[in-house]
Amino acid sequence: MSRSRSVTSSALGVDRRTVLAASAAVSVSVGVGYALRPTESQAASVPAQSPAPAPHTAASSSASASPVAARLAPYTKGTTLASVAAPRSGSGYRRLGSAAGWKRVVRGDLAAAKSGRAGRRTTLAAFVQLTDLHLIDSQHPLRLEYLRAASEISWRPHEALTVQGAVSLIERVNSLRAAPVTGAPLDFVVTTGDNTDNNAHTELDWYLTVMSGGRIAPNSGDPRRYEGVQNSGIPLYWQPDSTARDSYKQRGFPHLDGFLAAAIREVNSPGLTLPWYSTVGNHDAMPLGCYAHGDSWLAEYAVGGRKLMELTAAEATRLQQSISQDRDPRGTVIRDLLKSKTRAMRTVTPDERRAPYTPAEHVRAHLDPAYQGAGPVGHGYTAGNLAAGTQYYTFKVAENVIGISLDTTDPGGHYNGSIGTAQLKWLDATLRAHKDTYAIVFSHHTSESMSNTRPDPAHPRERRHTGAELTALLGRHRNVVAWVNGHIHRNDITPHQGAEGTFWEVSTASHVEFPQLARVIELVDNKDGTLSIHTTLIESSAPHRTDFTDLSQTGLAALYRELSANARTDGARLGGEAKDRNTELVLKKA
C-alpha cells in the first residue's frame, strides 16, 4: 500500500550543524556480521577456518521463501522482445515511435547449448535489476551543468524529469505477471547503484519513496517555482518555457509552455509490489559521485543560496579534465573555482534538505519503517551495517541461491571504484561458506571500471583491490554464476573463465540515458549439466509516442525518454549489441 512520507521525517530531517560536521567526517567501509545457511534465513556462524568474519544477512523476501505458484505461460508483453522505442527517420530533433523488438541471442562462450533444454529446465531464481536511476535534484547548487560548455554529455535536457521516469519504470515492473522465459514468479527487485545523483538528502528521499510508494514533490528551494538553468535565459541550455531560440531549440527541441511548473508538480508512486534490495554506487556515496566527503565549504555551498550556472568553454574543459583525469578527489579544484566565481553566481532559495548524506545516513534511511514498502526491512541493509560502518551484505534469493551485494565505491574520491581487503576477505569467506549454493554477486562498478585504488581515508593502510583481482577471486569459486552491475550506462555482457569456475558478468544500461532500460534475469537448471541465465530488457510503462500538450505524470515520463534520445548523439551505443541485450547465457553446472 502506498504511504505518504514527509521530507522532514526523522530519517532524513537535517540539522545544519550536524550535516556540516558529518560531511567533514570520513566514510568508513569495512564489514563484520553473519552468514546465511543455504536453507535458512536466520544468522549462522561461518566455519572456523574462514579467514574473515561472515556477512550480516538481510531478511529474505517472502516471495522467494513461499511455495512456487503455478507458472504462467512464457510471454513477451511489456518487454523489449515485443517492441522498443526508436527515433523516427529524419534529422534534428527526432520523435520516438515503436520499432520491432530485440530477438534473444543464445551465447555459448562458456558452454554449448544442448537441444531439448527448454522442455527440461527448472527455474532457480527470477528477478529484476534496476540500475543508475540517477534521481536528480536539478536545482541543486553543486550541480555541474556548466560543463555543458565543454561537452554535450555533461548536461541532460531531461534532468528535471528523473522522478517521473523512475515511477513509470516501477509501474512497468509491477505490470510484469511473471518472468518472460520461464513464466515463473518474480522473486525480487535489486538496484545496482547510482540511485541518486548529487548524494543529496532530497534525492535519497525521492528514491526511497519511488521504490516504497508515496507522494513526491520533485522540487527543492522555492516551493512555488523552479530555480535552475532551464529558466536562466542562458542559451547553452534548453529553455522549454521560453520562445527564445536557445542552442537546443536550434536543433528542433520544442517550446513547451508550462513544462517547468509541471516538472516540479507532485508525483505519486505506487511503489514496488515485489521485495527490493539496494546496492550503493559512487553517486550515492559521494557528492557528485566523485568528491570525497570532508570539505565543509562545499557542504555549506550545497545548502546555500548561490548557484553558478555558466563557465567559459576553456574553464569548463579544465574542470572536466580535473575530474576525468582523477586530479581532484577531494574537491579542491572545484571549491577554489566556485570561490573565484561568487560574483557570477545567481541567487536561489537555500534548502537544508540538499545537504550531502553520509554512508551511515544512507543505511539508516533504508532502515526507516516509512520506506519499508514491500520489504524487506532495510532492503538488504541491517543494524549490523550501521554498527560496522559497512554497505555490503548477503541475502537469500531462493532455496539454493544467495545474493551478495558489494560496496565497490572508493571513499577516497573519484567515480571509478575498488574494494578493500576486509571486504574482499569477507566475500571469499562467504562464498566458501556457501560452496554448495549458487551465488549471484551484485555491485555498482564493472570489472573494467574498478581501477581506482586510492586508499580509504579511514583505513589508509588497507589495500584497495581492482576489478581484475575481484574477477580472479570470483573465478576461484565454482558456485558463482553471475556478477550483475551497472555504472557504465551501457549494455555489456562478458564471459569469465576462472581458475575453478565460470561466470557471466551482466552490465545493464542506465535509466537516465536513452534507451532507458532495466533487466529481468532468470537462472535455470537445464538438467543436462548446464545452467542458463536468461536476460530480458524492459522499458518504462510510458508510451513510446509523446504528445507535447500532455504534461501529466505519464506524459512527462514519455517526454523523459524522448528528450533523452535527443540529448546526445551516441545514444545507440549505450544500447549495446544484440549479444548484450536479450540473451540466453549458458554455463557449465558446478
Side-chain angles (χ1 to χ4, degrees), residues 358-368 381-382 385-386 390-391:
T358 65
E361 289 171 324
H362 182 246
V363 172
R364 193 175 297 115
H366 281 79
L367 290 165
D368 187 335
Y381 301 116
T382 65
N385 290 114
L386 270 181
T390 64
Q391 297 187 88

Side-chain angles (χ1 to χ4, degrees), residues 224-226 241 257-266 551 556:
R224 300 162 300 176
R225 64 189 181 95
Y226 171 93
D241 287 77
D257 191 39
F259 175 88
L260 293 174
I264 63 174
R265 196 167 52 218
E266 190 174 69
L551 297 181
L556 291 174

